[in-house]
Amino acid sequence: MTIFGEIAQITLRALLGRRRTLLMLLLAAIPILVGLLVRANARPGPVDVGAFLDAIVIRVVLPLVALVFGTAALGSELEDGTAVHVLTKPIRRSTIVLAKITVAGTLTAALLVPSTIVAGMLIAGLLNTRPGSDPITATFAIGLGVLVGSYLYAAIFVALSIVTSRGLLVGLGYALIWEGILAGLLPGSQVFSVREYVRGIAETLEPSSIESIVGSSAVAYAAIALVTASVIASLRLAVYEVRGGE
Amino acid sequence: MSGPDAALVLERVSRWYGNVVAVNDVSFSLGPGITGLLGPNGAGKTTILHMLAGLLRPSAGRVSVGGQVAWRNPAVYRSVGLVPEREAVHAFLTGRAFVEMAARLQRLPDPRAAAARAITTVDLEGAADRPVGTYSKGMRQRVKIAGALVHEPPILLLDEPFNGMDPRQRLHMIGLLRTMAEAGRAILFSSHILEEVERLADGVLVIHAGRLAASGDFREIRRLMTDRPHTFVVRSSDDRRLAAAFMTEAAVFGTELRDGRLTVRVAEFGGFTRAVARVARGASVSLFEVAPTDDSLESVFAYLVSRR
């Protein structure tokens, strides 16, 4: 097994603790449960798949699940001291960071892409979806946006967990305050919002799925954000100082 | 030791956290053999070990390990093994899986065999296939040591390695570290227990309040520690007469009678303990008790720092 694979494997096992897994499964089930409720109570009139998935998955569940996995992948190990056993090996710091981002992103995507698609299909199965839209294509487009968003959020939250020991709190502030409030009030600030990138990717793939401000530039923005977060995380880990000294 | 043979070198190294100075202008160089880093809790031992292990940046000075700068240099870990004080090991891993992981991360050609050797070395075969979460403190300590020496590094850094070990495990570990030192390895371990260092180390570095209080051969340090001003409390059949008799002794520079207790301040431990019986006999006084009052390790370290 490669060094990358070794670190990824141990990270995966550490992240799949019983309580955390259960909590994340519950979070991932929310879009499906709400989708079932909507379907059960469907009334005549258009149901917008894009708006539904945006409100439940993109705004709430995606950043929360990525936050938990992203900050735990490395941040928890730095906090409890287990990371020292990896840090004191002749391994490039970028390898450690990329393995952590890959695992946190993959776990987030593994839970949320199926959840997004199942929830979207439940809505798309209704007869009275928005006229002129293709709800199934829209669902898959948003699913792909969520896939990219999972890795992007994971990279940002892994980087945050190295930069600050309060990664979970700062990440929550980013998701709730920046993306939830400020990015809606400050014109132009949406270009620094992962949520907008997810919407932009979905819109690029299926224009009727969802509206975004960044549009097709979302792919470029997302790529830049992913690389920037990974580089910052690697550089910060290279100068990371262990706590617990006298 | 100094020069190219030195495995571990600190040159005028300081480390501070904000306004707090954890390590203050410390220099030493060590070669093969076992050296004890002795000092009370909070003296700066862990900070020094972490700087040597490249896990902390020195605020000033230079730290080198095996001829390489330790900070921001992961390549140094090919020749260094670190056993941290914190017990943290993933609880879900078996001891064997943990050591094999260390071997694979070191890119050893046969990680399984290397891990088996390291597990045998620390006498953990019986528990190797159990999850680390079920281990006692001493077993966790040993599995960390196995992980640190799986690549047979020429330099081994151990932070309080005997914590949690029972006497049998301590003896085994002392034997193991001695064997490794005889094979030419440089071993630096920290401890706040004088007897531990005395039993194991060839050389000693005494750290107190971030400063190097003494360094060198253990017997020399031991002499410095004992030949220092001491205070004794003495109980006898006639304290007043005994106090007057003590004042004629060169080793004694003060006596005090207070609350029915005779306190004697002496220039050095050995001289006084040799003289006390003779003086009492000469004064026809019976001794009931002679007890040093300030023999805590803290006071020993404080004295060593003050005389530098």
Side-chain angles (χ1 to χ4, degrees), chain A residues 33 36 59 84 99 103 109 114 132 145 167 174 207 221 223 229:
Chain A
L33 295 174
L36 282 169
R59 283 171 188 269
V84 166
V103 172
Y174 168 78
Y221 283 132

Side-chain angles (χ1 to χ4, degrees), chain A residues 178 182-197 213-214 221:
Chain A
W178 176 258
L182 294 179
L185 297 175
L186 305 172
S189 63
Q190 289 94 339
V191 295
F192 299 110
S193 163
V194 175
R195 180 194 295 175
E196 275 307 313
Y197 306 159
I213 287 157
V214 291
Y221 283 132

Side-chain angles (χ1 to χ4, degrees), chain A residues 15-30:
Chain A
L15 282 181
L16 292 178
R18 200 174 299 164
R19 267 197 322 196
R20 185 186 292 126
T21 307
L22 198 65
L23 189 66
M24 294 303 100
L25 279 170
L26 282 174
L27 271 174
I30 288 175

Side-chain angles (χ1 to χ4, degrees), chain A residues 64-147:
Chain A
L64 279 183
V65 172
L67 177 67
V68 171
F69 284 134
T71 52
L74 183 55
S76 300
E77 293 184 355
L78 292 172
E79 206 57 41
D80 68 21
T82 48
V84 166
H85 301 295
V86 173
L87 292 176
T88 53
K89 300 292 182 293
I91 305 167
R92 276 206 305 256
R93 279 14 188 176
S94 56
T95 307
I96 300 172
V97 163
L98 290 178
K100 300 289 182 184
I101 292 172
T102 302
V103 172
T106 303
L107 278 176
T108 307
L111 285 178
L112 295 189
V113 173
S115 163
T116 303
I117 291 179
V118 171
M121 292 303 227
L122 284 168
I123 302 291
L126 296 171
L127 294 174
N128 50 355
T129 49
R130 195 171 66 175
S133 72
D134 176 358
I136 293 178
T137 313
T139 296
F140 278 95
I142 293 171
L144 271 172
V146 168
L147 176 73

Side-chain angles (χ1 to χ4, degrees), chain A residues 9 51 53 94 132 145 201-202:
Chain A
Q9 189 190 52
L53 293 177
S94 56
I201 288 165

